[in-house]
Amino acid sequence: MWKEFKEFALKGNVLDLAVGVVIGAAFGKIVTSLVNDIIMPVISVFTKGLNFENLFVSLDGSKYATLAAAKDAGAATLNYGLFISNIIDFLIIAFSIFIVVRQLNRFTKKKEEPAPKKTKQCKYCFSEIHIDATKCPHCTSDMK
């Protein structure tokens, strides 16, 4: 059983997947920082200081100054500001991955060679016939 597990764990696909997960997690942290530390403050400037993290609806009917105050009071909240922030985060990650994959595909795209011809044209009736044919099946001309 140990030998089978070792063979499975050391296959190229499993190692590639593990590397991808680690790099993806690190990339996610970078993008989250980009959203929270750079993009959202800029958006906040254009929305006159609106902090997305403090956009919420308290379900107990009370008013709270911040989301932290509502959580400290034990109030149930709908955190639509955090949801908006996560949507922006997702869109940036998806766009970044699209750009990376697009560039990788550009470098790895192989030039496809045209498939060998399987037909030829009869010089008398202009019909398409098999490349190895010696007589045209349509006009019975010799194709030698």
Side-chain angles (χ1 to χ4, degrees), residues 58-130:
S58 174
L59 298 178
D60 68 356
S62 300
K63 296 283 183 186
Y64 299 97
T66 64
L67 180 60
K71 293 292 182 187
D72 289 341
T77 57
L78 290 176
N79 306 321
Y80 65 91
L82 292 174
F83 181 70
I84 292 170
S85 179
N86 286 330
I87 288 173
I88 293 170
D89 195 12
F90 169 77
L91 291 174
I92 291 171
I93 289 172
F95 183 72
S96 301
I97 290 173
F98 167 74
I99 295 297
V100 169
V101 169
R102 185 173 177 211
Q103 292 303 319
L104 287 175
N105 284 341
R106 211 170 114 200
F107 291 122
T108 60
K109 200 177 260 187
K110 296 177 183 175
K111 293 181 181 178
E112 294 181 21
E113 294 182 23
K117 285 185 127 186
K118 294 183 180 182
T119 61
K120 62 183 176 183
Q121 192 175 35
C122 173
K123 60 184 175 182
Y124 300 105
C125 70
F126 301 105
S127 298
E128 290 292 319
I129 59 174
H130 193 274

Side-chain angles (χ1 to χ4, degrees), residues 33-69:
S33 176
L34 173 70
V35 170
N36 293 336
D37 301 331
I38 296 174
I39 294 175
M40 291 311 242
V42 171
I43 291 174
S44 181
V45 167
F46 289 114
T47 59
K48 297 182 179 156
L50 181 64
N51 183 356
F52 280 88
E53 290 181 9
N54 285 323
L55 295 178
F56 66 95
V57 173
S58 174
L59 298 178
D60 68 356
S62 300
K63 296 283 183 186
Y64 299 97
T66 64
L67 180 60

Side-chain angles (χ1 to χ4, degrees), residues 12-25:
N13 294 341
V14 175
L15 292 176
D16 291 344
L17 179 63
V19 169
V21 167
V22 171
I23 290 174

